[in-house]
């Protein structure tokens, strides 16, 4: 396994359109996270899954955003009615349940979203 | 509120010179601390982490960091930088039972020949 993968790497869309991103975590990692990173800022937490359960959501995650992890493996992040303010890098990370790597999050390359 | 501060937005050092990147945290409980590096077009790569124990931690690529509780700091150091170290560096923190990482705003490192 080569790490966390994200698709697509880049997405350009028009304002008002819906977009969906996919994240495939490291196999056997039961925790999966989504972050958003805007230019000149560090990543900001959006939401977190343990297996298929979404256990925490940030206030940044408006009702236009929805994330799923239906079988506890890959996850999708959908943004409905995109706005120019949604333009950012969307990062996915995964981590194992315990052991020495507890709370160590492994990040994917990100999906860069541009809303025109 | 929990926060991580990286006071330096941009640092320029000469190749072969030593490096220190600053990180200060504000957390109620003893934090878990991390340094990540992000190169253009790449994801965040973990350099090192501190959970407990020895306050001087060694990481990959010759980096080390020292946890100083009295100063609420976790500064990253490298004795001799290489041109390939040019990147964005992020300090992050969390604590036991908290799943989300709180990141600083990052420090961009430029290396000059």
């Amino acid at each position: 396994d080569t790490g966390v993968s994200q698709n697509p790497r880049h997405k350009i869309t028009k304002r008002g359109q819906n977009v969906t991103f996919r994240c495939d975590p490291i196999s056997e990692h039961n925790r999966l996270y989504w972050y958003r990173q805007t230019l000149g800022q560090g990543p900001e937490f959006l939401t977190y899954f343990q297996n298929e359960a979404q256990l925490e959501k940030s206030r940044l995650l408006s009702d236009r955003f929805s994330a799923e992890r239906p079988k506890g493996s890959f996850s999708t992040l959908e943004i409905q009615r995109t706005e120019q303010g949604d333009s950012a890098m969307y990062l996915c990370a995964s981590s194992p349940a315990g052991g020495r790597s507890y709370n160590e999050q492994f990040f994917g390359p990100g999906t860069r979203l541009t809303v025109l | 509120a929990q926060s991580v501060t990286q006071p330096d937005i941009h640092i320029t050092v000469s190749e072969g010179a030593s490096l220190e990147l600053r990180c200060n945290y504000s957390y109620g409980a003893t934090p878990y601390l991390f340094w990540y590096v992000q190169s253009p077009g790449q994801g965040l790569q973990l350099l090192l982490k501190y959970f407990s124990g020895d306050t001087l931690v060694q990481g990959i690529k010759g980096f080390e960091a020292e946890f100083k509780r009295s100063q609420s700091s976790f500064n990253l150091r490298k004795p001799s930088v290489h041109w390939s170290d040019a990147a964005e560096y992020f300090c992050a923190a969390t604590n036991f039972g908290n799943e989300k990482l709180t990141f600083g705003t990052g420090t961009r490192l430029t290396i000059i020949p």
Side-chain angles (χ1 to χ4, degrees):
Chain A
D1 189 289
T2 56
V4 178
S5 62
Q6 293 186 245
N7 288 287
R9 295 290 305 275
H10 303 274
K11 178 70 176 177
I12 299 174
T13 190
K14 293 182 179 179
R15 187 178 55 183
Q17 298 294 305
N18 300 341
V19 295
T20 299
F21 311 140
R22 176 178 171 128
C23 170
D24 288 89
I26 295 172
S27 58
E28 300 171 0
H29 280 191
N30 70 340
R31 299 179 179 195
L32 187 146
Y33 311 79
W34 285 99
Y35 291 81
R36 182 175 69 186
Q37 185 178 20
T38 53
L39 201 61
Q41 299 296 317
E44 295 173 292
F45 172 81
L46 291 178
T47 190
Y48 145 68
F49 290 84
Q50 182 164 311
N51 300 313
E52 65 275 9
Q54 188 174 18
L55 297 185
E56 188 173 350
K57 292 196 294 186
S58 162
R59 280 176 288 181
L60 292 175
L61 214 65
S62 75
D63 56 5
R64 296 185 297 106
F65 288 70
S66 62
E68 295 182 342
R69 194 182 183 196
K71 297 183 179 179
S73 57
F74 72 92
S75 174
T76 58
L77 177 68
E78 181 183 16
I79 308 174
Q80 296 183 329
R81 305 181 304 280
T82 52
E83 301 173 355
Q84 289 184 327
D86 297 331
S87 296
M89 177 78 84
Y90 290 84
L91 297 167
C92 177
S94 68
S95 74
R100 295 182 61 189
S101 292
Y102 175 75
N103 253 344
E104 179 178 332
Q105 297 181 20
F106 297 81
F107 283 81
T111 294
R112 181 167 296 283
L113 172 66
T114 301
V115 181
L116 302 176
Chain B
Q2 297 168 336
S3 65
V4 176
T5 302
Q6 294 180 250
D8 304 306
I9 296 174
H10 184 205
I11 284 183
T12 300
V13 300
S14 298
E15 190 169 14
S18 63
L19 170 71
E20 183 169 25
L21 302 182
R22 295 184 291 165
C23 173
N24 294 96
Y25 64 87
S26 175
Y27 263 73
T30 299
Y32 300 157
L33 297 160
F34 306 81
W35 275 99
Y36 284 87
V37 60
Q38 187 177 39
S39 299
Q42 305 293 318
L44 291 158
Q45 181 183 22
L46 182 68
L47 290 175
L48 47 80
K49 62 187 178 186
Y50 172 77
F51 283 5
S52 64
D54 193 345
T55 57
L56 183 63
V57 294
Q58 303 296 321
I60 62 171
K61 304 185 178 186
F63 286 93
E64 66 177 27
E66 187 171 11
F67 171 64
K68 293 185 176 180
R69 185 188 303 276
S70 61
Q71 298 177 17
S72 298
S73 69
F74 187 58
N75 293 351
L76 181 72
R77 301 193 294 249
K78 187 170 184 177
S80 176
V81 298
H82 186 261
W83 64 266
S84 60
D85 293 325
E88 187 96 21
Y89 291 79
F90 293 94
C91 182
T94 187
N95 49 19
F96 181 79
N98 184 356
E99 290 302 326
K100 70 177 185 181
L101 289 175
T102 299
F103 284 84
T105 51
T107 297
R108 184 160 60 95
L109 177 63
T110 298
I111 308 295
I112 55 176

